Amino acid sequence: MSVKMKQVGNLSVKIITADNRSEQKNIISENDREMDYRATAAVQSAIDKAKICKKPIAKYDPVTKRAYVEYANGEKKYVQ
């Protein structure tokens, strides 16, 4: 796990990376954990809605380090 501070304008942002989310409980506040949970749920909800409506979904392949669009039929089209 690592903690980095990043300056964004007049604000300081704490960036936390960890493999185990339980380790984050000692570092971030309850409000930050709630905000992370809500943001994750909102993104998952948007992805689920796009799948139901058969809309293309933009994704990132960490192996090839390239972005692609996945269509409802399963076709993947890599972005140039």
Side-chain angles (χ1 to χ4, degrees):
M1 171 176 41
S2 67
V3 179
K4 295 179 183 179
M5 294 297 288
K6 182 175 182 179
Q7 193 71 27
V8 179
N10 295 333
L11 302 173
S12 294
V13 178
K14 189 185 296 184
I15 300 171
I16 301 170
T17 58
D19 293 332
N20 188 352
R21 284 190 175 258
S22 64
E23 294 177 18
Q24 294 177 358
K25 290 184 180 182
N26 299 330
I27 297 173
I28 63 176
S29 69
E30 182 64 33
N31 288 339
D32 287 343
R33 278 194 296 280
E34 178 68 19
M35 185 172 58
D36 283 354
Y37 172 77
R38 288 175 182 258
T40 302
V43 169
Q44 188 59 52
S45 176
I47 291 171
D48 292 343
K49 182 179 178 182
K51 284 181 182 178
I52 290 169
C53 295
K54 300 186 189 286
K55 302 277 185 175
I57 301 168
K59 294 186 176 185
Y60 180 77
D61 187 352
V63 175
T64 62
K65 298 184 179 180
R66 294 173 59 196
Y68 64 92
V69 178
E70 184 176 7
Y71 294 93
N73 63 1
E75 177 189 357
K76 292 181 183 179
K77 185 174 182 181
Y78 283 90
V79 179
Q80 296 289 337

